[in-house]
Amino acid sequence: KIVVSDLENDLCLLRAADLNVKPIPAAPPNSVSLGENVYLLGFPMEGVLANQSPVAGNGVVASLKGLKGDPRHYQVTLPINPGNSGGPVLDSRGRWIAVASHKLNDLYSLSASESIPQGINFAVKGTLFIPLLDSIPEVKLPTTDNTNSLTLQDLSKRFSDSVLLITAKH
């Protein structure tokens, strides 16, 4: 059930009955840096790959702004495919920094530049999601003071149970 939504940023907060998952800690605002290693857990190409648990990916923050300088997004080199959208983008300390969103459209790029780009993908900044969370007093993301970098393997073990496949019905 949709609890609250932000149509402009394509975000919503869902409530699911009888769900018991460990929340992923949130990173503090303005803690993301250009070139920073980032990680993604999600269910890419569901129905084709049929993964039973989240698939892990890694990349870097390529730009602190999105397409045409959009300040709501990060440009990331993470592999974002159908099924990854809505998944958490994590920093190396295991903190949630963004929501996987979309990739640069291949057909648009081909017509605009006569090439198909690689690794030009986008994530909605977590700071845009915080107002949705703050509008529901009983929902709070934990914070962490972890200063140690974690590997993709560590993050996968720690947070795979926190990432669920949600299929929208139209």
Side-chain angles (χ1 to χ4, degrees):
K1 177 181 175 186
I2 296 176
V3 176
V4 64
S5 63
D6 175 351
L7 297 178
E8 183 180 340
N9 294 305
D10 193 25
L11 296 170
C12 70
L13 182 61
L14 302 174
R15 181 178 309 229
D18 301 322
L19 194 61
N20 186 19
V21 295
K22 177 182 173 184
I24 298 172
N30 303 314
S31 64
V32 178
S33 300
L34 184 66
E36 181 175 348
N37 290 323
V38 288
Y39 305 97
L40 174 67
L41 296 172
F43 294 88
M45 305 301 293
E46 177 58 31
V48 174
L49 299 177
N51 296 302
Q52 298 299 311
S53 59
V55 172
N58 67 332
V60 298
V61 175
S63 175
L64 298 176
K65 294 185 178 178
L67 189 61
K68 297 183 179 180
D70 189 340
R72 300 172 302 162
H73 297 102
Y74 296 119
Q75 180 185 333
V76 294
T77 62
L78 294 164
I80 296 180
N81 294 292
N84 282 118
S85 60
V89 176
L90 308 172
D91 68 11
S92 62
R93 292 177 187 87
R95 303 177 304 183
W96 174 76
I97 62 163
V99 177
S101 180
H102 61 287
K103 66 179 192 165
L104 189 59
N105 182 287
D106 291 342
L107 295 178
Y108 167 82
S109 298
L110 190 58
S111 68
S113 68
E114 297 183 2
S115 68
I116 296 177
Q118 296 180 4
I120 299 179
N121 305 303
F122 303 96
V124 178
K125 293 179 179 180
T127 53
L128 295 175
F129 197 72
I130 299 303
L132 294 180
L133 292 171
D134 288 345
S135 72
I136 315 246
E138 67 270 17
V139 176
K140 294 289 181 218
L141 282 181
T143 57
T144 181
D145 55 2
N146 180 22
T147 58
N148 298 326
S149 288
L150 302 170
T151 66
L152 180 55
Q153 183 179 14
D154 294 334
L155 292 169
S156 296
K157 286 178 185 175
R158 186 174 291 182
F159 296 119
S160 281
D161 290 341
S162 299
V163 180
L164 307 170
L165 174 64
I166 296 173
T167 304
K169 294 183 181 180
H170 301 277

